[in-house]
Amino acid sequence: MFEKVLIANRGEIALRIHRACREMGIRTVAVHSTADAEAMNVRLADESVCIGPPPSRDSYLNMAAIISAATITGADAIHPGIGFLSENAAFAQMVEDHGITFIGPAPEHLIMMGDKVQAKDAAKRFGIPVVPGSEGEITGEADAKRIAGETGYPVLIKAAAGGGGKGMRVATSEAELMAAYTMARTEAKASFGNDAVYIEKYLSHPRHIEIQIIGDSHGNVVHLGERDCSLQRRHQKVLEEAPSPALNAEQRARIGKIAADAMKTMGYKSVGTIEFLFQDGEFYFIEMNTRLQIEHPVTEMITGIDLVREQIRVASGAPLSFKQSDVTIDGHAIECRINAEDPETFLPSPGRVTDFHAAGGLGVRVDSALYSGYRVPPNYDSLIAKLVVHGRTRNESLMRLRRALEEMVIGGIKTNIPLHSRLIAAPDFINGAYDIRWLEKFVAET
Amino acid sequence: MFEKVLIANRGEIALRIHRACREMGIRTVAVHSTADAEAMNVRLADESVCIGPPPSRDSYLNMAAIISAATITGADAIHPGIGFLSENAAFAQMVEDHGITFIGPAPEHLIMMGDKVQAKDAAKRFGIPVVPGSEGEITGEADAKRIAGETGYPVLIKAAAGGGGKGMRVATSEAELMAAYTMARTEAKASFGNDAVYIEKYLSHPRHIEIQIIGDSHGNVVHLGERDCSLQRRHQKVLEEAPSPALNAEQRARIGKIAADAMKTMGYKSVGTIEFLFQDGEFYFIEMNTRLQIEHPVTEMITGIDLVREQIRVASGAPLSFKQSDVTIDGHAIECRINAEDPETFLPSPGRVTDFHAAGGLGVRVDSALYSGYRVPPNYDSLIAKLVVHGRTRNESLMRLRRALEEMVIGGIKTNIPLHSRLIAAPDFINGAYDIRWLEKFVAET
Amino acid sequence: MSKFDVDEVLVRKLAQLLKDTGLSEIEFESEGRRIRVNSGRISTTMSGSMDSSVTQVAVPPPPVASQPEGPPAGALTSPMVGTAYLAAEPGAQPFVKPGDRVTKGQTVLIIEAMKVMNPILAPTAGTVREVLIADGQPVEFGEALMIIQ
Amino acid sequence: MSKFDVDEVLVRKLAQLLKDTGLSEIEFESEGRRIRVNSGRISTTMSGSMDSSVTQVAVPPPPVASQPEGPPAGALTSPMVGTAYLAAEPGAQPFVKPGDRVTKGQTVLIIEAMKVMNPILAPTAGTVREVLIADGQPVEFGEALMIIQ
């Protein structure tokens, strides 16, 4: 097992990883920008190294600085966390080249799943159902017309290098196709410096269902059931729950096995998530995240498995501590992402947190690096806390979430707690009757 | 189910009960003394009533004020919490006489278990193993000599009305017996206005093991395994864990069945705890607590059962929501009682809490009514927070507890957090090798 | 945190004190609030610029939980939890009404607790300035019932 | 918390004390409460400096998270994370030592990062006042290396 792990991230996820390391008796190194000198994970770490100024490109994306920090502190592994360099194959390779373990999948798997077109091809090869559409990049207008016709309208035009909704356009008929095709390419070029786009079937009322998997370096892969992340705004997840109110045991077992078998074939050896659109009983591959997910606690609450601990164990070469038959889904869990933003306008609200009081008691978990007096820097994303509840039934966890939201106090800055309170009181949500477009409508209407 | 419950208690346990009520959709009434006007449970309650000045006898022990508060607010049930009036049969009766449900056992069971001699007789009748000794009150010096002789030295002389270690004396030989007998009687008279004492076998290295049971009004009784509460100072529990490192599955099943069967015979219909001394594989009845226990979260963490929710359900006449066969023990849990006291001198340390930051993350639960700026009043006991951790193994929860204690911040007052940190680092504790006298020695030596 | 405002009554009282005592200045601080009144009498003897001022400095209060206001002066507070009645029986004349003079020990209202009627007596002789509760209203311990001065 | 109000009796008592003793000012503080009375008499004798009635009140600082100290004046801070070397190779003469004059752009030390030796140049001409790190010491971004003035 590792002696010392460098955590190349910030905020609540850096703290989450620190906690796992402390509980495994592993010493931690926090790296931070000058803006995060007072962060809780920095204060709690065994050692800390300032790696650069506030802008991410000069600090949390500064590979040289991070690897130098690992060298001077003698860390034997680097955990990249979520975002930043976590899916950067070049970084993973550089880390390994310096004789340090990268706590994540092999670089080739980061490359494979990092490009949407490659990823879709791989998914098909491994027997994962995909959204029908173009085999790869659209070669031109004629090609676009033909494929859209075969796929059947409405169709979605998507940037190959895309993400976060950039370079995405819907065409409901051939009349709209060309305009959408051109706009998508222009946006793709602007956002990713690459105007390659592809076409796929557009689903009108899908849910976002993702399967958590974990593999080790001994060929074992296990799936830990799904998470329902359909509640999104601008393609950002807002609230996640598991099990999904829309899946039955047969569907769960089927898609779980497909995902796990695919990862076995692929030889995947870390935590990962395969995201699907789910509509009318069918699953369609969206993409694979070759890293930990922000919403991983939802799965931890219903399986009792510490995903970060297990991720570190397998990275050290240890085999998985459980088999598929050991995994049981117990009760129901919900996570609210609490952001430093205006609940009406969604504008970021950085600044000093005058009061922080976390909800407590039975079945409540708060993952947050906030403390009273902490300044939320304006340089990074607005996620400041994750409120997670667990109950024996979905209704029990809904009731628990309601009372936990009443107890949360975050003073001095605006947060989206009021949005969550309204959201969980909405009949559609209480009935589990929502798709990936529901939240946008809800926000627009209320 | 109840519409509105009055919570006749204060501090973290009042908040614990409020949470259970909120999650069941039951409205809450907080009653409080003038010293607790700013308490968190008062702020969160649907309604609050000030029932008197700071001294408990005028507020939290003021039956008339509490019942009047229930009357004017239209509460249909009263939860007495822990301590104060929770085991007061006269109060329970008075509540019922006013057509309000007392959330607890029947008054006759409060009476039966409220007197040590009666309780021991009852335990024997119900087949619960007791410490050998006098059948009842010692009638005089000759009687004392004879019984001590039959029981075998060392013997313990105990006040019949006793508790908290008052009126307790050990005699290791007949030479010491008379002095001990006289002292115990004098102390008993002084402390309880009743000099009745009895004699029992003195155990040299017992553990304190208690069995959690719950019954309903339909004749069902289930046990939820044990808690090991051997770590005590001045007969006050400091840290509790479950399962006990000292029990095996056979012993657990045996004593659990004995306890549950006894409660069935007795017709007990609420939560309750039967406390035992455990030495050399044998259990000896100490007493029964006919109420919720402070350390109930330890059992909740390993069984996944919300004891307060279930206690309220059965009080409303509903049957238990689970059978004995549904109860499974999952992993290991430990609770640290965090007191506002000097960790060296154990002197109370009331006052203003300048900073409060609860530990968070996976497997950590904090039950506390503290908040930054709250004033811990000097009028009541010093328990201010319960830090509870759960892990898949005892070692996992020990590691988790260590890192959680590192994260807890309680500023402005002294707490016993440093004692807990030292305690969990002690090899004997890590090995689970401790009895009810271990902590006193540990404190004296370090 | 309370609104930033000057207690006019207090200032007038201090001004009167300055006049009566011939003091030039009184400064008083308590619980993070500070007030200073200056008669400016000094400044008349010299450069008239100096502030003949009233300054109330709001020192940021320590982040303690806001305490409830104490009862008003002359307030009769409830000694128990219960239901307050202003008359001996429904429809009867109230024991007292604003403006009435009361003698010490006179019953001014009744509080019912646990089906027992408890007469509440005037603590001092005086005039009933205000009745703060309605007939049949539930009251808690320490709640202000009426003002007798 | 007691209502914010002045003890009138106390003020009158202090005023009397001023008169009797001929003092110009009495300030009294106890348990977070403070009172100061000033007769203004002093001004008649002295050039009317108002500061006889000016008092500093320590306002508690807001509870912000303590910020890290900035680097000292003239400090050369590290532009990168790495290992600092004061000489070109083990055993060689250091690039500079305290007291040396340096020209702008002169190499004053080396920081090794990712097996690359990065020369660190003097930002300005001046004198090396102090070398703040040891040879072979790991340094983080923004860490003060030496002072050149």
Side-chain angles (χ1 to χ4, degrees):
Chain A
M1 183 43 63
F2 307 116
E3 292 290 317
K4 190 189 281 188
V5 167
L6 182 143
I7 300 164
N9 217 294
R10 63 176 303 282
E12 66 84 21
I13 198 64
L15 179 60
R16 169 69 187 93
I17 296 160
H18 166 83
R19 284 167 168 163
C21 290
R22 285 297 286 152
E23 293 177 5
M24 299 172 79
I26 299 171
R27 296 173 52 77
T28 57
V29 178
V31 295
H32 62 89
S33 74
T34 51
D36 285 330
E38 296 297 307
M40 197 193 299
N41 62 299
V42 175
R43 295 176 159 200
L44 288 171
D46 293 299
E47 294 170 75
S48 71
V49 179
C50 180
I51 52 169
S56 300
R57 67 178 175 286
D58 302 324
S59 48
Y60 299 105
L61 293 174
N62 184 338
M63 303 188 197
I66 291 166
I67 288 175
S68 298
T71 311
I72 63 174
T73 55
D76 46 12
I78 293 179
H79 196 307
I82 295 174
F84 293 130
L85 297 169
S86 59
E87 293 176 289
N88 186 308
F91 179 66
Q93 190 57 61
M94 193 185 291
V95 170
E96 298 288 348
D97 293 347
H98 281 74
I100 302 167
T101 304
F102 177 81
I103 299 177
E108 61 266 30
H109 291 153
L110 293 172
I111 293 166
M112 180 191 291
M113 293 301 173
D115 175 90
K116 281 194 168 357
V117 174
Q118 274 197 60
K120 193 173 175 183
D121 294 344
K124 278 190 236 161
R125 277 206 309 287
F126 298 140
I128 298 174
V130 301
V131 182
S134 59
E135 287 304 307
E137 179 180 350
I138 298 296
T139 57
E141 304 201 345
D143 190 38
K145 275 211 185 63
R146 183 180 54 76
I147 288 160
E150 291 166 6
T151 307
Y153 290 92
V155 297
L156 183 68
I157 301 147
K158 256 184 169 178
K166 291 273 188 316
M168 274 196 184
R169 283 286 179 279
V170 177
T172 58
S173 69
E174 187 163 319
E176 296 177 16
L177 185 63
M178 282 312 123
Y181 174 63
T182 316
M183 278 193 292
R185 286 183 58 191
T186 318
E187 243 183 69
K189 182 76 180 173
S191 308
F192 316 108
N194 168 359
D195 68 357
V197 298
Y198 62 99
I199 287 181
E200 62 182 31
K201 179 178 177 56
Y202 176 73
L203 300 164
S204 56
H205 58 282
R207 297 181 82 108
H208 174 117
I209 303 287
E210 58 187 32
I211 303 295
Q212 177 69 57
I213 65 95
I214 179 166
D216 63 21
S217 50
H218 305 270
N220 307 303
V221 180
V222 168
H223 76 86
L224 302 174
E226 84 284 6
R227 292 182 291 259
D228 193 323
C229 310
S230 303
L231 292 174
Q232 306 184 2
R233 188 183 157 277
R234 305 256 170 98
H235 300 272
Q236 297 298 314
K237 296 164 184 171
V238 172
L239 179 151
E240 305 95 352
E241 64 178 312
S244 167
L247 249 59
N248 60 40
E250 178 279 318
Q251 292 164 323
R252 177 171 302 114
R254 171 162 56 91
I255 194 64
K257 186 173 189 319
I258 288 171
D261 290 350
M263 292 302 110
K264 267 205 198 73
T265 317
M266 184 173 162
Y268 192 79
K269 55 173 196 51
S270 187
V271 294
T273 297
I274 306 178
E275 299 189 328
F276 295 93
L277 289 175
F278 176 72
Q279 183 174 307
D280 310 326
E282 290 307 316
F283 294 89
Y284 304 97
F285 174 81
I286 307 170
E287 62 174 349
M288 175 173 185
N289 290 320
T290 50
R291 53 163 170 83
L292 199 64
Q293 301 270 99
I294 289 175
E295 60 272 25
H296 74 277
V298 172
T299 298
E300 292 180 324
M301 299 296 267
I302 59 169
T303 60
I305 291 166
D306 183 335
L307 272 169
V308 180
R309 179 193 190 90
E310 208 62 28
Q311 177 188 29
I312 295 169
R313 286 187 71 262
V314 296
S316 75
L320 280 176
S321 67
F322 50 86
K323 297 183 303 299
Q324 190 65 61
S325 55
D326 301 326
V327 178
T328 54
I329 305 295
D330 170 30
H332 191 91
I334 307 176
E335 170 183 280
C336 289
R337 294 191 188 193
I338 298 177
N339 300 330
E341 66 186 17
D342 184 302
E344 303 295 330
T345 64
F346 300 99
L347 294 174
S349 174
R352 196 166 72 79
V353 176
T354 53
D355 304 282
F356 176 68
H357 188 88
L362 175 62
V364 174
R365 167 180 175 181
V366 176
D367 278 27
S368 175
L370 290 190
Y371 57 85
S372 298
Y374 173 71
R375 247 173 226 291
V376 178
N379 316 81
Y380 313 105
D381 78 36
S382 63
L383 179 71
I384 51 173
K386 300 186 304 198
L387 172 61
V388 192
V389 297
H390 178 255
R392 286 191 298 173
T393 64
R394 183 170 189 264
N395 183 58
E396 202 174 290
S397 44
L398 277 176
M399 295 293 276
R400 184 156 289 152
L401 181 55
R402 187 186 68 163
R403 74 93 179 152
L405 282 167
E406 291 169 355
E407 291 178 22
M408 287 293 292
V409 176
I410 300 179
I413 59 174
K414 290 179 177 171
T415 77
N416 61 346
I417 288 175
L419 172 65
H420 284 296
S421 302
R422 283 193 296 129
L423 173 52
I424 65 171
D428 284 349
F429 176 70
I430 292 167
N431 299 330
Y434 55 83
D435 61 27
I436 61 169
R437 297 191 183 84
W438 183 87
L439 182 58
E440 297 270 9
K441 286 196 227 81
F442 177 77
V443 168
E445 289 162 8
T446 58
Chain B
M1 184 43 64
F2 307 117
E3 292 290 318
K4 191 189 280 188
V5 167
L6 181 143
I7 300 164
N9 217 294
R10 63 175 304 283
E12 66 84 20
I13 197 63
L15 179 60
R16 169 70 185 93
I17 296 160
H18 166 83
R19 284 168 168 163
C21 290
R22 286 295 287 152
E23 293 177 4
M24 299 172 78
I26 298 171
R27 295 172 52 77
T28 58
V29 178
V31 294
H32 63 89
S33 75
T34 51
D36 285 330
E38 295 298 309
M40 197 192 301
N41 62 299
V42 175
R43 295 175 157 201
L44 288 171
D46 294 298
E47 294 170 73
S48 71
V49 179
C50 179
I51 52 169
S56 301
R57 69 179 175 286
D58 302 323
S59 48
Y60 298 106
L61 293 174
N62 183 339
M63 303 189 197
I66 291 166
I67 289 174
S68 298
T71 311
I72 63 175
T73 54
D76 46 13
I78 294 179
H79 195 308
I82 295 174
F84 292 130
L85 297 168
S86 58
E87 294 177 287
N88 185 309
F91 179 67
Q93 191 56 61
M94 194 184 289
V95 171
E96 297 289 349
D97 292 346
H98 282 74
I100 302 168
T101 304
F102 177 80
I103 300 177
E108 61 265 31
H109 292 153
L110 294 172
I111 294 166
M112 181 191 290
M113 293 301 173
D115 174 90
K116 282 194 170 352
V117 174
Q118 273 198 60
K120 193 173 176 183
D121 294 345
K124 278 191 238 162
R125 275 206 311 286
F126 299 140
I128 298 174
V130 301
V131 182
S134 58
E135 287 304 309
E137 180 179 349
I138 299 297
T139 57
E141 303 202 345
D143 191 37
K145 274 212 184 64
R146 182 178 55 75
I147 289 162
E150 291 166 7
T151 306
Y153 290 92
V155 296
L156 183 68
I157 301 148
K158 256 184 170 179
K166 291 273 188 317
M168 275 197 184
R169 282 286 180 279
V170 178
T172 60
S173 68
E174 188 163 319
E176 296 177 19
L177 185 63
M178 283 311 124
Y181 174 63
T182 317
M183 278 193 293
R185 286 183 57 191
T186 318
E187 242 182 71
K189 183 76 180 171
S191 308
F192 316 108
N194 169 0
D195 67 357
V197 298
Y198 61 101
I199 288 182
E200 61 182 33
K201 178 178 178 57
Y202 175 72
L203 300 164
S204 56
H205 58 282
R207 297 180 83 108
H208 174 118
I209 302 286
E210 58 186 32
I211 303 295
Q212 177 69 56
I213 64 96
I214 180 166
D216 63 21
S217 51
H218 305 271
N220 307 304
V221 180
V222 169
H223 76 85
L224 302 175
E226 84 284 6
R227 291 181 292 258
D228 192 322
C229 310
S230 303
L231 292 174
Q232 305 184 3
R233 188 184 156 274
R234 306 257 169 95
H235 299 273
Q236 296 299 314
K237 296 165 185 169
V238 172
L239 179 151
E240 305 95 352
E241 64 178 313
S244 167
L247 250 60
N248 60 39
E250 178 278 319
Q251 291 164 323
R252 177 171 302 113
R254 171 162 56 89
I255 194 65
K257 186 174 188 319
I258 288 171
D261 290 350
M263 292 302 109
K264 267 206 199 72
T265 317
M266 182 173 163
Y268 192 80
K269 55 174 195 51
S270 186
V271 294
T273 298
I274 306 179
E275 298 188 328
F276 295 93
L277 289 175
F278 176 71
Q279 181 174 309
D280 310 326
E282 291 306 316
F283 294 89
Y284 305 97
F285 175 81
I286 307 170
E287 63 174 348
M288 174 173 185
N289 291 320
T290 50
R291 52 162 171 83
L292 199 64
Q293 300 271 99
I294 288 174
E295 60 272 24
H296 75 276
V298 172
T299 298
E300 292 180 324
M301 299 296 267
I302 58 169
T303 59
I305 291 166
D306 183 334
L307 272 168
V308 179
R309 180 193 189 90
E310 209 62 27
Q311 177 189 28
I312 294 169
R313 286 187 71 262
V314 296
S316 75
L320 280 175
S321 66
F322 50 86
K323 299 183 302 299
Q324 190 66 61
S325 55
D326 301 326
V327 177
T328 55
I329 305 295
D330 170 31
H332 190 91
I334 306 176
E335 171 183 278
C336 290
R337 294 192 188 193
I338 299 177
N339 300 330
E341 66 187 17
D342 185 300
E344 304 293 331
T345 64
F346 299 99
L347 293 174
S349 174
R352 195 167 72 78
V353 176
T354 52
D355 303 282
F356 176 68
H357 188 88
L362 176 61
V364 174
R365 167 181 175 180
V366 175
D367 278 27
S368 175
L370 289 190
Y371 57 84
S372 298
Y374 174 72
R375 249 174 224 290
V376 178
N379 317 79
Y380 313 105
D381 77 35
S382 63
L383 180 71
I384 51 174
K386 301 187 305 199
L387 171 61
V388 192
V389 297
H390 178 255
R392 287 190 299 173
T393 64
R394 184 171 189 263
N395 183 60
E396 202 173 290
S397 44
L398 278 176
M399 296 294 277
R400 185 157 289 152
L401 181 55
R402 187 187 67 163
R403 75 92 179 154
L405 282 168
E406 291 170 354
E407 292 178 21
M408 288 291 293
V409 175
I410 300 179
I413 59 174
K414 291 179 177 170
T415 77
N416 61 346
I417 288 175
L419 172 66
H420 284 295
S421 301
R422 283 194 296 128
L423 173 51
I424 66 171
D428 284 350
F429 176 70
I430 292 167
N431 299 330
Y434 55 83
D435 62 25
I436 61 169
R437 297 191 184 81
W438 182 87
L439 181 58
E440 297 270 9
K441 285 197 229 80
F442 177 77
V443 169
E445 290 162 6
T446 58
Chain C
M1 176 166 180
S2 60
K3 159 167 176 297
F4 180 71
D5 194 3
V6 168
D7 180 347
E8 195 180 332
V9 179
L10 176 59
V11 173
R12 292 185 187 286
K13 174 174 166 186
L14 289 167
Q16 186 58 50
L17 275 167
L18 282 178
K19 204 176 284 118
D20 298 350
T21 58
L23 288 168
S24 70
E25 179 171 85
I26 300 173
E27 178 165 354
F28 172 71
E29 179 169 18
S30 173
E31 320 265 15
R33 304 182 72 196
R34 184 163 66 87
I35 189 164
R36 180 163 65 88
V37 295
N38 182 304
S39 68
R41 208 181 300 96
I42 314 162
S43 53
T44 55
T45 62
M46 339 155 285
S47 60
S49 66
M50 291 317 200
D51 55 350
S52 67
S53 61
V54 173
T55 38
Q56 181 160 19
V57 182
V59 179
V64 293
S66 66
Q67 301 295 330
E69 278 296 317
L76 171 62
T77 59
S78 176
M80 69 188 71
V81 180
T83 307
Y85 294 106
L86 298 175
E89 56 189 3
Q93 282 297 313
F95 293 104
V96 296
K97 54 187 186 322
D100 289 0
R101 294 204 50 79
V102 294
T103 59
K104 182 176 184 200
Q106 175 183 338
T107 297
V108 292
L109 77 161
I110 285 174
I111 294 178
E112 176 186 9
M114 309 206 55
K115 307 193 170 35
V116 178
M117 296 295 177
N118 305 279
I120 305 302
L121 313 178
T124 58
T127 305
V128 177
R129 297 275 171 231
E130 194 179 358
V131 176
L132 302 165
I133 49 151
D135 188 54
Q137 175 182 319
V139 294
E140 61 184 348
F141 174 85
E143 184 167 347
L145 304 170
M146 53 179 68
I147 295 175
I148 300 174
Q149 278 165 333
Chain D
M1 183 190 297
S2 59
K3 184 164 171 296
F4 181 61
D5 195 355
V6 165
D7 180 343
E8 195 175 329
V9 180
L10 177 58
V11 173
R12 294 184 185 281
K13 176 170 156 194
L14 291 168
Q16 188 56 50
L17 273 168
L18 282 178
K19 210 175 279 125
D20 298 349
T21 57
L23 290 168
S24 69
E25 177 165 319
I26 299 173
E27 181 162 355
F28 171 69
E29 180 162 17
S30 171
E31 292 163 0
R33 296 166 71 89
R34 186 164 68 83
I35 189 161
R36 184 165 67 87
V37 294
N38 183 305
S39 68
R41 205 179 297 101
I42 188 168
S43 59
T44 57
T45 58
M46 284 169 48
S47 64
S49 67
M50 284 302 289
D51 52 12
S52 61
S53 61
V54 171
T55 331
Q56 266 70 17
V57 176
V59 178
V64 291
S66 64
Q67 297 301 324
E69 282 293 318
L76 170 62
T77 58
S78 176
M80 67 188 71
V81 180
T83 306
Y85 294 106
L86 298 175
E89 57 189 1
Q93 281 298 314
F95 294 104
V96 294
K97 52 188 188 321
D100 290 359
R101 294 204 51 78
V102 294
T103 58
K104 182 175 185 206
Q106 175 182 340
T107 297
V108 292
L109 76 160
I110 285 173
I111 294 179
E112 176 186 9
M114 309 202 58
K115 307 191 170 36
V116 178
M117 295 296 177
N118 305 278
I120 305 301
L121 313 179
T124 57
T127 305
V128 177
R129 297 276 171 230
E130 193 179 358
V131 176
L132 301 166
I133 49 152
D135 188 54
Q137 176 182 319
V139 295
E140 62 184 347
F141 173 85
E143 184 167 348
L145 304 170
M146 52 180 68
I147 295 174
I148 300 174
Q149 279 164 331

